Amino acid sequence: QAALEFLMTYGWAILLVIVVVGALYATGMLKPCRWTGMQAKEFPLSEVKVEPIRITPTELVFQVYYQQAGDAILNNVVVTGTADGTPVTVGSITPSSTTFSASSPVVVTVSLSGANSGACADFSITLNYTKPGASTYTLASGKITGPVS
């Protein structure tokens, strides 16, 4: 009888924990991106600084700063991404300008489709830019991750 009481007491406690964890999972509260927020990772910080502004189901918006002296020229931006592991379709990529510096960033707007609100998005971004006074281009790659709001 002591064993049966032990199993009943701990059985209810374990069942309650399973129900609570299931409810948290169903509401999306267990997704890591909900707790970490938007992040820019793996960019060469000595050259460029990327700051995410927002990720919505229809667009990704971020700023790019050139961390050295002078104005760099943005030649091209390539974006690929997923939302909860499902590929996101990237449409037009529109920079606010072609030159950027530490005091005057370029704002890049990327149109998206296939991202659902509440999903965890993961975008790979490659920036093709020309440094001041240089004749060849430079590539900088990194990621922007975060929840789709």
Side-chain angles (χ1 to χ4, degrees):
Q1 183 164 344
L4 185 59
E5 288 178 14
F6 177 81
L7 288 176
M8 287 300 290
T9 302
Y10 287 101
W12 284 113
I14 291 170
L15 182 63
L16 181 64
V17 168
I18 290 171
V19 168
V20 168
V21 170
L24 288 173
Y25 179 77
T27 60
M29 293 299 289
L30 294 180
K31 293 181 180 179
C33 71
R34 290 185 60 103
W35 302 103
T36 59
M38 288 188 292
Q39 296 180 341
K41 307 183 241 181
E42 302 172 14
F43 287 99
L45 295 178
S46 63
E47 290 264 328
V48 294
K49 177 181 175 187
V50 176
E51 288 183 353
I53 297 175
R54 70 178 166 271
I55 304 172
T56 67
T58 58
E59 70 180 358
L60 164 67
V61 181
F62 59 93
Q63 295 183 88
V64 182
Y65 296 86
Y66 183 63
Q67 298 286 83
Q68 305 292 320
D71 291 342
I73 299 170
L74 185 64
N75 302 319
N76 191 21
V77 179
V78 178
V79 178
T80 59
T82 62
D84 282 345
T86 304
V88 173
T89 303
V90 175
S92 63
I93 299 173
T94 310
S96 62
S97 134
T98 56
T99 61
F100 62 107
S101 66
S103 62
S104 178
V106 62
V107 177
V108 179
T109 304
V110 181
S111 65
L112 306 171
S113 63
N116 296 322
S117 185
C120 286
D122 185 12
F123 295 98
S124 294
I125 298 168
T126 302
L127 304 169
N128 178 325
Y129 62 97
T130 305
K131 297 177 187 180
S135 60
T136 59
Y137 65 88
T138 302
L139 295 177
S141 297
K143 293 182 179 247
I144 291 179
T145 61
V148 179
S149 56

